[in-house]
Amino acid sequence: MNTPLSWIKKYVPELDCTPQEYMDAMTLTGTKVENFKKLDENLDKIVIGQITKIEKHPDADKLVICQVDVGENNGGTIQIVTGAPNVSEGIKVPVVLDGGRVAGGHDGSKTEGGIKIKKGKLRGIESFGMMCSIEELGSSCDMYPEAPENGIYIFSDQEEVGADAVEVLGLHDTVVEYEITSNRVDCYAVLGIAREAAATFRKPFCPPVVKETGNSENAADYMSLEVMDEDLCSRYVGRVVKNVKVGPSPWWMQRALSNMGIRPINNLVDITNYVMMEYGQPMHAYDYDKIAGHKICVRRAKNGETYTTLDGVERRLDDEILMICDEKEAVGIAGIMGGENSMITDQVTTLFFEAACFDGTNIRLSSKRLGLRTDASGIFEKGLDPNNAMAAMNRACQLIEEMGAGEVVGGAIDYYPTKREESRVKFEPNRINAILGTNLSEKEMLDYLALVELTLDEASGEIVAPTFRQDIHRTCDVAEEVARFFGYDKIPTTLPASGASSGKLSYKLEVQNKLAEVARFAGYSEAMTFSFESQKVFDKLLIDQDDSVRNAVTIRNPLGEDYSVMRTLPLNGILTALAFNYNHRNKNVKLYELANIYLPKSLPLTELPDERMQFTLGFYGEGDFFTLKGVVEEALVAVGLTGTIRYLPDAKKNFLHPGRQALIEYEGKVIGYLGEVHPLVGKNYSIGERAYVAVLDLPAFLENTSFLHKFAGIAKYPAVSRDLSMVVPKTILAGQIEEVIKNKGGKLLENCKLFDIYEGDQIKEGYKSMAYSISFRALDHTLDDTEISGVMEKILTGLEKLGVKLRA
């Protein structure tokens, strides 16, 4: 939303501040000003001059020498050499005096800081200034229709020689840009901004006084109205203007519109645009003689119906689009754009003016389906106050009469079945003070509220908000109004009134934080990937067609095919991130992620899916399967999983290398898996070297986690070590041997460690040599050989059952 500051001052006449002061104050009271632009920036020492004499340049065919009267106060008559094609004796033009500035070039190009004009010589003839075009003054022919497209600007004969040309052109103004929130629809109008400015600066607000208009006739005798869809049109107001005279609008209106960025066209169009900007109420004018049967019908379009809008485009409609129709056909798309068949031409004699209130959601959706967005639709879609429609209509008719643009017919056709009433909120001063942390009296609060026309109904004890304030519904809204005019910067810092409570992370988050801490300690960086992905991911990961993980939740309105389902595996994100780093030549990349997967309980969905938190590790570069296994074990120990952890080979994961994968089992329950990424999967993700991943399913082991640690003192008695060298069948895993050692070693076993493994000529085929170092310790005495020999005997007996023999 942009407004010229001059237009605001028209309704707040006592407003006296610089643009910067205006910007700061308005922002502090909640009407955020994004920026402002001075229209006279870089315009200096520019006056109105009159050409008194023109002579040909002796050395240039396209240049002339002009004697220009710029007024006694500016040096009288000065000589200017110009090549402008439209100069003639007697005309009055803008003249930049020696040392003055213009905004840019004659082609409309802008120059930072402007262009300084100095006296000089053109082909040997002295020139003491410059006559300029409207583009050089920082504007354009669109905003000044009377300006020539190629040549200097010419003033009317009534302007005074020597006067400030910038002031006469209306360029001593500042255009302010606002960021208006969608709940403040009233501020999408100059009157709404002016009301806020008056409240901010504590100045009187003087809205235009709208007088009764119209002759002794009745508009109902000219037009009839039928609204077939009340849910989409809450109000429709129409008035008739006859004896229409099309012509240019007055200078003040052209300047108000052009300074707002709206091109002046003619008095009728300019009035509708002016009132739309002033009241925030879009209006539309129809040629009365082109309305069949002189009847307006507001109805939905028919599916497949076509209609040609004012821009000459034929558009296909459906039954969700609201149309303005006569007895035969449509004459406009409600709230968006009129049609070619009812457009206003210079030959119009009688007008039908429309001001209505349409359903904002319907206008937004219709505009989107048609691919047609206009200034009017942008306002309608925010939801308008139906009580504003008649006020705007009467203002437009008043301007028509004042400008002599036509004769307004008395009365109006007005469809308004359900009147909107003011909203009411219980006045609770104590609660407002509690919300704000202030100690304001009732009178102080009411004084602040009165600034924006919020009043107290003493009988009911309620704050009454006018209908244009559609954002006032509850006490917190009233408190906001008090706060912004009391001053946010004046609200003291206070502690919350409620009892203090100590904040604490949930136990699940503590476990997650500990897992992340271990990952970071091991050199892994956190990754954050999308929860939604493509069905193609399952093919990239070589997932079987009948695998249950392919049963993913489908997103109803996805961003695209690549984001169409919720993930059921956490690997795609990590592998994609690893691939990105690999293809950007990053070495030794380690990533981890804590994120949910979404497993539907049934499809189609009848209940929310099972959201399971997964701890995923992935890396390539230095390291191997056992490096990753070590990080997994470190993480499990860190969250208190000190029981038996087993690794079951052949996890049957298609996306992992068939010989380098394992399920992770804790106390007999599978809690995850790890392994090397299958070479084909690595190729699918464009990872050019071995990559490894591990996934832990948090819900599977959360109940076994614990942060309770028992203190154990330093052992007082020495440990006894034994080395065990064995010949082991290749089918026996190290984990099976260690499980036997731990089970048979009992309480005396302190540690066992594999320190050698060998396969070669000295070992018979089908076997391998494995050597373990085993240590024993008792907490209450020194162990003797008898105790240790007994334990070793149990261990060897257990190992023999696996086919393990001592190596000779």
Side-chain angles (χ1 to χ4, degrees):
M1 176 70 184
N2 296 346
T3 66
L5 200 52
S6 61
W7 203 343
I8 300 299
K9 291 180 178 180
K10 186 175 180 179
Y11 306 128
V12 191
E14 295 183 20
L15 183 62
D16 184 19
C17 61
T18 65
Q20 187 63 51
E21 291 170 342
Y22 178 86
M23 175 179 176
D24 294 341
M26 291 291 282
T27 299
L28 282 174
T29 56
T31 307
K32 184 182 178 183
V33 176
E34 285 286 322
N35 205 348
F36 64 84
K37 177 186 177 183
K38 294 182 178 181
L39 297 181
D40 59 359
E41 189 175 18
N42 301 323
L43 300 181
D44 186 31
K45 296 180 71 174
I46 304 175
V47 300
I48 297 177
Q50 186 171 27
I51 301 176
T52 57
K53 185 179 179 181
I54 299 177
E55 298 176 322
K56 287 192 66 176
H57 193 291
D59 295 323
D61 293 337
K62 294 184 178 180
L63 297 179
V64 292
I65 305 168
C66 300
Q67 304 301 321
V68 184
D69 180 7
V70 293
E72 292 299 325
N73 294 332
N74 300 311
T77 299
I78 62 174
Q79 180 172 285
I80 297 176
V81 179
T82 182
N86 62 330
V87 293
S88 60
E89 292 183 358
I91 63 172
K92 296 179 179 179
V93 296
V95 177
V96 190
L97 301 176
D98 180 25
R101 288 183 183 274
V102 291
H106 67 276
D107 58 353
S109 59
K110 301 294 189 299
T111 303
E112 186 175 352
I115 300 173
K116 191 169 184 178
I117 304 302
K118 298 179 179 180
K119 64 180 180 179
K121 291 184 178 181
L122 289 177
R123 301 293 292 270
I125 302 297
E126 286 189 314
S127 182
F128 296 89
M130 183 182 81
M131 296 178 283
C132 49
S133 65
I134 199 66
E135 287 80 10
E136 289 165 326
L137 295 173
S139 191
S140 68
C141 294
D142 283 341
M143 300 307 161
Y144 288 81
E146 73 281 3
E149 292 187 4
N150 183 22
I152 57 175
Y153 183 84
I154 300 175
F155 290 102
S156 67
D157 291 338
Q158 288 75 31
E159 303 302 340
E160 180 184 352
V161 171
D164 183 349
V166 178
E167 181 177 357
V168 172
L169 287 168
L171 292 174
H172 282 316
D173 203 352
T174 301
V175 176
V176 183
E177 179 186 353
Y178 307 87
E179 181 185 320
I180 307 298
T181 54
S182 57
N183 66 324
R184 288 303 305 272
V185 184
D186 58 303
C187 287
Y188 284 94
V190 174
L191 284 175
I193 297 292
R195 187 181 290 108
E196 289 291 313
T200 297
F201 291 94
R202 309 299 198 269
K203 300 295 183 182
F205 173 54
C206 305
V209 178
V210 181
K211 300 175 183 178
E212 185 177 347
T213 55
N215 58 22
S216 58
E217 297 177 282
N218 191 340
D221 297 332
Y222 282 76
M223 292 290 299
S224 60
L225 172 67
E226 180 184 9
V227 177
M228 300 176 66
D229 291 279
E230 180 181 338
D231 58 324
L232 300 183
C233 178
S234 56
R235 189 173 194 183
Y236 191 98
V237 176
R239 295 194 71 174
V240 177
V241 179
K242 63 181 187 179
N243 300 325
V244 172
K245 299 175 183 177
V246 180
S249 53
W251 181 257
W252 61 268
M253 181 175 284
Q254 290 188 39
R255 297 288 61 77
L257 291 174
S258 63
N259 287 355
M260 208 166 194
I262 299 174
R263 180 169 62 93
I265 298 175
N266 59 48
N267 50 4
L268 300 180
V269 176
D270 291 353
I271 285 172
T272 59
N273 285 334
Y274 186 88
V275 174
M276 180 172 71
M277 294 296 101
E278 186 178 48
Y279 278 76
Q281 171 65 57
M283 302 182 68
H284 191 71
Y286 300 94
D287 188 332
Y288 172 81
D289 295 322
K290 294 180 181 179
I291 300 176
H294 297 156
K295 178 181 179 180
I296 288 294
C297 178
V298 184
R299 62 163 177 83
R300 294 174 187 263
K302 298 174 183 177
N303 281 323
E305 183 179 350
T306 59
Y307 183 67
T308 303
T309 46
L310 277 172
D311 55 3
V313 178
E314 184 178 82
R315 304 181 185 276
R316 182 171 292 275
L317 313 175
D318 59 46
D319 59 4
E320 292 298 320
I321 297 174
L322 193 65
M323 302 297 293
I324 309 299
C325 308
D326 58 20
E327 281 192 341
K328 293 182 178 180
E329 59 184 352
V331 293
I333 303 177
I336 300 178
M337 185 178 282
E340 279 189 337
N341 57 346
S342 63
M343 66 185 295
I344 299 296
T345 64
D346 291 344
Q347 288 72 45
V348 65
T349 58
T350 306
L351 281 180
F352 174 67
F353 259 130
E354 163 196 283
C357 188
F358 303 114
D359 179 72
T361 302
N362 177 265
I363 296 298
R364 179 177 61 84
L365 295 175
S366 298
S367 177
K368 186 176 181 180
R369 282 198 297 275
L370 292 169
L372 178 61
R373 183 175 174 84
T374 61
D375 290 340
S377 68
I379 295 175
F380 273 119
E381 66 185 27
K382 294 174 176 63
L384 300 184
D385 174 17
N387 291 331
N388 194 41
M390 183 61 82
M393 174 62 73
N394 291 336
R395 172 63 166 163
C397 290
Q398 179 188 25
L399 291 172
I400 285 174
E401 287 193 348
E402 289 178 353
M403 292 161 52
E407 180 185 353
V408 179
V409 174
I413 56 172
D414 187 7
Y415 171 83
Y416 196 14
T418 306
K419 184 179 180 182
R420 176 176 291 180
E421 302 294 340
E422 298 95 340
S423 60
R424 291 173 171 265
V425 178
K426 185 178 179 182
F427 184 44
E428 301 174 287
N430 292 335
R431 189 178 172 198
I432 292 173
N433 276 325
I435 292 172
L436 300 180
T438 55
N439 190 27
L440 298 172
S441 66
E442 287 189 24
K443 182 181 183 304
E444 288 176 307
M445 291 183 188
L446 292 173
D447 287 344
Y448 293 134
L449 295 175
L451 294 172
V452 284
E453 302 180 28
L454 301 181
T455 58
L456 174 66
D457 183 343
E458 295 183 1
S460 63
E462 295 174 318
I463 296 295
V464 181
T467 54
F468 61 78
R469 286 302 302 270
Q470 301 181 44
D471 59 317
I472 307 295
H473 301 291
R474 48 188 65 87
T475 300
C476 58
D477 298 327
V478 177
E480 181 186 7
E481 298 303 302
V482 172
R484 65 196 189 97
F485 292 109
F486 169 69
Y488 291 115
D489 54 329
K490 297 178 183 177
I491 296 177
T493 302
T494 58
L495 292 173
S498 60
S501 60
S502 59
K504 184 180 179 181
L505 292 176
S506 68
Y507 182 74
K508 179 182 177 183
L509 279 176
E510 287 185 356
V511 173
Q512 291 176 212
N513 286 346
K514 179 58 70 173
L515 293 172
E517 181 183 314
V518 172
R520 290 194 296 270
F521 180 78
Y524 286 74
S525 299
E526 184 174 11
M528 297 181 70
T529 63
F530 288 116
S531 295
F532 28 84
E533 53 196 20
S534 170
Q535 286 277 7
K536 298 175 183 177
V537 165
F538 302 122
D539 295 330
K540 291 177 71 174
L541 292 173
L542 310 180
I543 302 297
D544 293 333
Q545 291 298 323
D546 58 350
D547 197 312
S548 61
V549 298
R550 284 184 176 268
N551 299 326
V553 177
T554 302
I555 299 171
R556 181 176 296 174
N557 186 24
L559 296 173
E561 185 182 352
D562 290 342
Y563 307 98
S564 59
V565 297
M566 302 301 292
R567 63 182 171 193
T568 56
L569 287 170
L571 296 176
N572 178 63
I574 283 289
L575 292 176
T576 301
L578 290 175
F580 179 86
N581 281 275
Y582 178 82
N583 288 291
H584 283 74
R585 300 183 180 180
N586 293 327
K587 297 180 179 180
N588 302 321
V589 175
K590 299 179 178 180
L591 299 174
Y592 80 91
E593 182 176 26
L594 279 156
N596 285 338
I597 60 171
Y598 304 84
L599 305 178
K601 298 172 185 175
S602 62
L603 289 175
L605 284 178
T606 56
E607 55 183 319
L608 292 175
D610 182 15
E611 298 186 29
R612 302 184 70 85
M613 176 63 67
Q614 307 264 289
F615 176 51
T616 308
L617 298 164
F619 80 92
Y620 66 80
E622 293 181 1
D624 56 18
F625 178 93
F626 298 102
T627 308
L628 182 60
K629 177 173 171 282
V631 178
V632 169
E633 291 180 349
E634 183 73 23
L636 294 177
V637 170
V639 294
L641 272 68
T642 56
T644 302
I645 301 173
R646 298 179 64 199
Y647 298 90
L648 309 180
D650 191 14
K652 294 183 172 57
K653 304 293 183 183
N654 292 4
F655 44 80
L656 297 179
H657 191 292
R660 298 167 190 159
Q661 58 174 282
L663 292 178
I664 304 169
E665 185 182 86
Y666 180 77
E667 298 292 348
K669 182 180 180 181
V670 175
I671 62 172
Y673 53 86
L674 80 161
E676 181 183 327
V677 175
H678 195 291
L680 292 179
V681 174
K683 184 177 180 181
N684 290 341
Y685 281 90
S686 300
I687 302 175
E689 59 179 282
R690 290 182 178 183
Y692 299 85
V693 293
V695 176
L696 293 175
D697 184 38
L698 192 60
F701 63 87
L702 184 63
E703 62 182 11
N704 301 111
T705 59
S706 173
F707 293 115
L708 297 176
H709 303 287
K710 293 184 178 180
F711 171 75
I714 298 173
K716 297 180 181 180
Y717 300 96
V720 178
S721 297
R722 293 286 187 272
D723 288 346
L724 198 58
S725 181
M726 302 166 286
V727 177
V728 182
K730 285 187 176 181
T731 56
I732 300 301
L733 303 177
Q736 293 175 271
I737 294 175
E738 291 170 9
E739 188 174 359
V740 170
I741 294 173
K742 289 176 182 177
N743 288 337
K744 301 299 182 180
K747 294 181 180 180
L748 297 182
L749 180 68
E750 184 178 63
N751 189 28
C752 70
K753 182 179 180 181
L754 176 69
F755 68 85
D756 183 61
I757 184 167
Y758 171 75
E759 294 180 32
D761 295 337
Q762 299 179 27
I763 305 297
K764 65 179 180 178
E765 189 175 348
Y767 286 81
K768 58 187 174 183
S769 172
M770 299 180 72
Y772 277 88
S773 175
I774 305 173
S775 62
F776 302 93
R777 190 193 303 267
L779 298 178
D780 56 354
H781 66 281
T782 301
L783 294 173
D784 56 31
D785 286 343
T786 304
E787 290 176 290
I788 296 171
S789 296
V791 175
M792 287 296 295
E793 183 120 2
K794 292 179 182 179
I795 293 173
L796 291 173
T797 301
L799 291 173
E800 284 177 2
K801 294 179 180 180
L802 296 177
V804 176
K805 296 180 180 180
L806 289 176
R807 185 176 178 185

